[in-house]
Amino acid sequence: MAVENEGIWKLMQHRLGYTDDELEKFKNDPRNRKIMAKSKDLLGKTIVFEVVKSRGCNIEHKVGDKFLFSAEGYMLAHKGPKKVCPYILPAMARLVWIIQERIYEGLDPKPFFHRAHCDDVGLDCGGWGCVVFEAKVVDRV
């Protein structure tokens, strides 16, 4: 898969802070070329993680809370709850990678296993609570 637009490569060089030699190394990796060729497919999507169950959450995440990420992988923090529990982020990060991979492969971006939970094990297992969320992929407005 070729990415012939030199402007995209220069944009990435600037964004990543690469030297010319590092950019050539980046460009010569077939995986990177494939990802860059599919990158436009990421730009039109937003990943929404919506809380579908919450019990005993110390940060007070509740059903209906939404955490938004660009499909490129960064959190749109200004569009979500003011407080974000760090123990919910690892599961979200794993799902972002899966969604990105599905987009790169031209598949439906919604994973088969689209629900996850925070790292707290809940009161019954010696923790405090548990938050379950569902991933959705929507077209960016």
Side-chain angles (χ1 to χ4, degrees):
M1 240 173 245
V3 179
E4 302 305 325
N5 183 346
E6 193 59 32
I8 289 289
W9 295 116
K10 289 296 183 186
L11 174 75
M12 291 305 292
Q13 181 179 23
H14 177 73
R15 186 178 200 165
L16 300 172
Y18 285 167
T19 65
D20 289 342
D21 288 341
E22 288 171 323
L23 178 63
E24 285 307 310
K25 182 177 182 178
F26 182 79
K27 285 171 67 171
N28 289 327
D29 182 325
R31 180 186 62 92
N32 291 339
R33 294 187 76 75
K34 182 175 184 177
I35 288 171
M36 293 305 297
K38 293 284 192 168
S39 64
K40 68 182 182 327
D41 297 338
L42 294 177
L43 298 177
K45 303 289 183 195
T46 298
I47 302 168
V48 180
F49 295 109
E50 183 173 351
V51 175
V52 296
K53 182 178 177 183
S54 180
R55 179 79 176 131
C57 177
N58 186 48
I59 307 302
E60 302 178 277
H61 291 312
K62 61 189 177 308
V63 172
D65 281 353
K66 293 179 181 175
F67 305 85
L68 281 69
F69 288 75
S70 75
E72 300 155 81
Y74 56 86
M75 184 179 219
L76 301 167
H78 64 286
K79 294 189 176 192
K82 290 186 180 206
K83 299 186 294 183
V84 179
C85 180
Y87 305 113
I88 202 169
L89 294 172
M92 289 180 180
R94 288 187 294 272
L95 279 170
V96 168
W97 275 21
I98 291 167
I99 290 166
Q100 287 174 330
E101 181 79 12
R102 292 182 64 82
I103 290 170
Y104 297 146
E105 294 297 334
L107 302 171
D108 176 356
K110 185 175 181 178
F112 292 111
F113 300 100
H114 58 276
R115 285 192 172 182
H117 60 83
C118 69
D119 284 345
D120 194 327
V121 294
L123 185 61
D124 291 340
C125 295
W128 285 22
C130 186
V131 173
V132 178
F133 57 88
E134 180 176 302
K136 300 173 185 173
V137 182
V138 299
D139 290 331
R140 205 175 279 179
V141 178

